[in-house]
Amino acid sequence: MTPAERRELILRLALVPAGLLPAPRTMERIRRWRLALMLACVAALIPWTVYLAVTLPSHYEARNWVATWVGFDVILLAMLVATAVFGWRRRLLLFPAAFASGVLLVCDAWFDVLTSQRGADLVQALLTAFLVELPLAFILIAGPLRLLRYVAIRNGLVGAGVPMWRMPIPMPELWPQRRIPPG
């Protein structure tokens, strides 16, 4: 059986739970609204970023500095714990938890470096960023993405040569022709 035939058989035999998904027209409408919302956010964020770059002062005393950093680290800790638990229990929620943990680590490295005082404080932030936070972020983001790709290939949903950015969501209900495009 060819990979394409195996994929078609898997999709034909896949159980589609009744009532779990909205009607196809509703799903398409939700998709369009979400895409429009994301494009509106992008369009609003560009001038906002330019405005901030021009108007923000180079020095600013922040209120709630401790609560901000401790709160951020508590959120990071919670996401790392969730990632560990979902990985240990082999749950699908590992994918978004690990990805979010990786993104939070990148943000943490960025803010640590940019808010550090020159000298030993900055050296420590740079060493921590490049030796701990960014490598761990790469592992937390790339690992689950590779595993997700492997699962899709293993189940015959995509071919081995299809890169991640070309992988369709493996749900025939999302495609008008009721077939997942080959990638």
Side-chain angles (χ1 to χ4, degrees), residues 12 14 20 23 35 55 59 65 84 91 97 103 113 115 119 123 129 131-133 137 141 156 163-164 172 180:
R12 270 191 279 128
L20 190 61
L35 288 174
T55 62
H59 179 78
W65 184 253
R91 299 294 189 252
V103 170
V113 169
T115 59
V123 170
L131 297 178
V132 178
E133 292 171 319
I141 293 170
M164 277 297 289
I180 295 176

Side-chain angles (χ1 to χ4, degrees), residues 68-138:
T68 300
W69 281 107
V70 170
F72 183 86
D73 285 343
V74 167
I75 292 169
L76 176 58
L77 176 65
M79 289 307 301
L80 290 171
V81 167
T83 300
V85 168
F86 294 138
W88 176 59
R89 301 204 53 185
R90 295 182 178 97
R91 299 294 189 252
L92 278 175
L93 282 174
L94 168 69
F95 299 134
F99 194 88
S101 296
V103 170
L104 287 172
L105 281 168
V106 170
C107 293
D108 194 31
W110 174 265
F111 288 118
D112 285 347
V113 169
L114 289 182
T115 59
S116 295
Q117 300 290 333
R118 291 181 191 225
D121 190 33
L122 180 58
V123 170
Q124 178 187 352
L126 286 168
L127 287 173
T128 304
F130 285 109
L131 297 178
V132 178
E133 292 171 319
L134 295 177
L136 182 56
F138 177 79

